[in-house]
Amino acid sequence: MLSYIFVFMIVISVVCSVIFSSTQELSQSMLDGASEAVELLVMMSGMMCLWSGVMEVARKSRLTDKLAKLFSPLLKKLFPDVKKDSKAFQYICMNVSANLLGLSNAATPFGLSAMKELKKDLLSDEASDSMVTFVVMNTASIQLLPTNVATMRSVLGSTSPFDIIFCVWVTSVIALTVGLTVSRLCSKIGRKKWNL
């Protein structure tokens, strides 16, 4: 779907540039945009390597294990059908810990592993309540340190890239609360319809 949107935008841009006789400006914008994208990618890669390294240090120093233990009582309430000593629960805790530190790139492998473990016990192709809850938590995760956004702001010239931190906390808490509430309501409604 996204590819159709991009193709549509490109076609509209070319048609408008021909109609308004601005093909030279369009060509220059395309060249400038391409070079700026490469520069942004290189700068972002350096910061991502830095924060992924920080996450690896946190993992090897068992900081992520301590965070996982800290949040395990709350996560156990959100995932009542997942055993606390299972691999799935460990991966969920690690994913949440990485997301809290704003390291979504480091959280992705834990998230994929958690979903594989949650899928193992299912007999059908339908997602379980735990899988839906996990996807919602992973998508609308609370970030104590929004490192990716701060990195992008820094690359684009912000003098104080972390000054958005309070806004990120508020919006991520609201998004997570709404997401979990809606998923629970949909789960209850689905169960009632199924039982009827």
Side-chain angles (χ1 to χ4, degrees):
M1 181 66 185
L2 208 53
S3 58
Y4 293 121
I5 294 170
F6 281 128
V7 168
F8 176 74
M9 289 170 57
I10 290 169
V11 169
I12 290 294
S13 299
V14 170
V15 169
C16 288
S17 71
V18 169
I19 291 171
F20 297 110
S21 302
S22 58
T23 52
Q24 182 67 32
E25 288 86 351
L26 177 66
S27 302
Q28 191 60 47
S29 296
M30 288 171 59
L31 292 172
D32 292 344
S35 63
E36 287 172 10
V38 170
E39 286 175 22
L40 179 64
L41 181 64
V42 169
M43 290 181 186
M44 286 289 292
S45 298
M47 293 301 279
M48 292 232 184
C49 289
L50 169 71
W51 286 108
S52 294
V54 168
M55 184 61 190
E56 187 63 19
V57 169
R59 188 181 68 78
K60 287 191 175 179
S61 66
R62 302 209 179 264
L63 175 64
T64 51
D65 291 344
K66 289 173 184 171
L67 281 172
K69 284 180 183 175
L70 179 70
F71 292 110
S72 64
L74 175 65
L75 292 175
K76 190 60 192 159
K77 289 181 181 177
L78 291 171
F79 301 96
D81 56 334
V82 179
K83 292 178 182 174
K84 196 173 179 180
D85 57 344
S86 67
K87 283 186 177 179
F89 193 77
Q90 290 173 359
Y91 286 131
I92 290 169
C93 289
M94 295 293 282
N95 177 272
V96 170
S97 301
N99 277 326
L100 277 171
L101 297 173
L103 305 172
S104 54
N105 294 328
T108 301
F110 297 131
L112 293 173
S113 299
M115 287 301 268
K116 283 179 187 174
E117 292 295 325
L118 291 170
K119 176 92 171 97
K120 278 184 182 177
D121 297 331
L122 292 180
L123 301 174
S124 69
D125 287 337
E126 290 183 13
S128 66
D129 288 345
S130 292
M131 291 171 82
V132 173
T133 301
F134 181 66
V135 168
V136 169
M137 282 189 66
N138 195 37
T139 306
S141 61
I142 296 173
Q143 295 186 0
L144 297 179
L145 292 171
T147 52
N148 285 343
V149 176
T151 299
M152 185 157 308
R153 285 171 52 86
S154 177
V155 166
L156 295 174
S158 174
T159 54
S160 53
F162 278 99
D163 65 354
I164 55 156
I165 199 162
F166 182 72
C167 297
V168 169
W169 291 346
V170 171
T171 54
S172 59
V173 166
I174 291 170
L176 183 60
T177 304
V178 170
L180 290 175
T181 303
V182 170
S183 75
R184 294 288 178 194
L185 286 173
C186 289
S187 174
K188 286 180 182 177
I189 291 168
R191 275 200 214 101
K192 283 181 183 176
K193 284 186 178 178
W194 186 259
N195 289 336
L196 291 175

